[in-house]
Amino acid sequence: MEVLGGDGVILMASGGITASDDATHLARAVELAVQNVAAGGGPFGALIVGPDGAVLAEGQNRVTRDLDPTAHAEVVAIRRACQAAGSFSLIGSTLYTSCEPCPLCLSAALWARVDRVVFAADRHDAARGGFDDREFYELFEQPRGLWRIPIDSVRTADASAPFDAWLAQESRTDY
């Protein structure tokens, strides 16, 4: 059962996580973000906390440093946590982040199968800072034909060959 405090922070969540735990981990995520700004990076920090309450990994935004538009703090933390856990699945884990995850980061969290996402600042705070993810949220609500970037399906004769090969591979690792 979740109970929200007046500031929107969950006070108690299933699994025994308390408001104090959330506050501690969110404070660390914000600290990582502020440290990253001081080092010339973007204002985002994140960490993954495992089912046992231990921090599996931390991440800071590395987009400009690594010239990688996917190196968001959440994605960096998820990549590092998966390496630390020795698995592509982070079931039972929580992603704490200094700001509401953008669609890329939220998708990464879903693929990693984290149980919970907790954030401090929201998309409106990010927009005020020059990081306007609202454009992406609004884009996904529109039919693809209205998007500014064309997304075209060109079905080739062998389009399903990779999936046929996958299904025929008995030693595959399902995910």
Side-chain angles (χ1 to χ4, degrees), residues 132-149:
D132 197 353
D133 298 340
R134 291 178 299 189
E135 175 184 336
F136 299 120
Y137 286 102
E138 291 167 3
L139 175 72
F140 293 138
E141 293 175 359
Q142 297 178 6
R144 280 191 183 172
L146 299 177
W147 291 15
R148 65 176 170 78
I149 180 173

Side-chain angles (χ1 to χ4, degrees), residues 6-56:
D7 56 2
V9 173
I10 293 176
L11 297 178
M12 180 61 77
S14 58
I17 297 173
T18 66
S20 177
D21 295 329
D22 283 347
T24 298
H25 296 309
L26 284 174
R28 178 63 182 151
V30 170
E31 179 182 24
L32 287 167
V34 172
Q35 288 173 351
N36 203 47
V37 170
F44 304 97
L47 55 137
I48 303 287
V49 176
D52 63 355
V55 175
L56 289 173

Side-chain angles (χ1 to χ4, degrees), residues 81-161:
C82 286
Q83 291 298 308
S87 175
F88 56 82
S89 175
L90 296 173
I91 290 175
S93 298
T94 300
L95 167 63
Y96 288 93
T97 181
S98 62
C99 188
E100 179 179 4
C102 72
L104 168 76
C105 296
L106 184 56
S107 295
L110 292 169
W111 276 111
R113 295 167 178 80
V114 300
D115 281 17
R116 186 169 171 243
V117 176
V118 182
F119 61 89
D122 64 20
R123 66 181 78 170
H124 306 291
D125 296 310
R128 187 178 61 78
F131 299 88
D132 197 353
D133 298 340
R134 291 178 299 189
E135 175 184 336
F136 299 120
Y137 286 102
E138 291 167 3
L139 175 72
F140 293 138
E141 293 175 359
Q142 297 178 6
R144 280 191 183 172
L146 299 177
W147 291 15
R148 65 176 170 78
I149 180 173
I151 308 293
D152 299 320
S153 174
V154 180
R155 183 105 186 151
T156 60
D158 62 349
S160 63

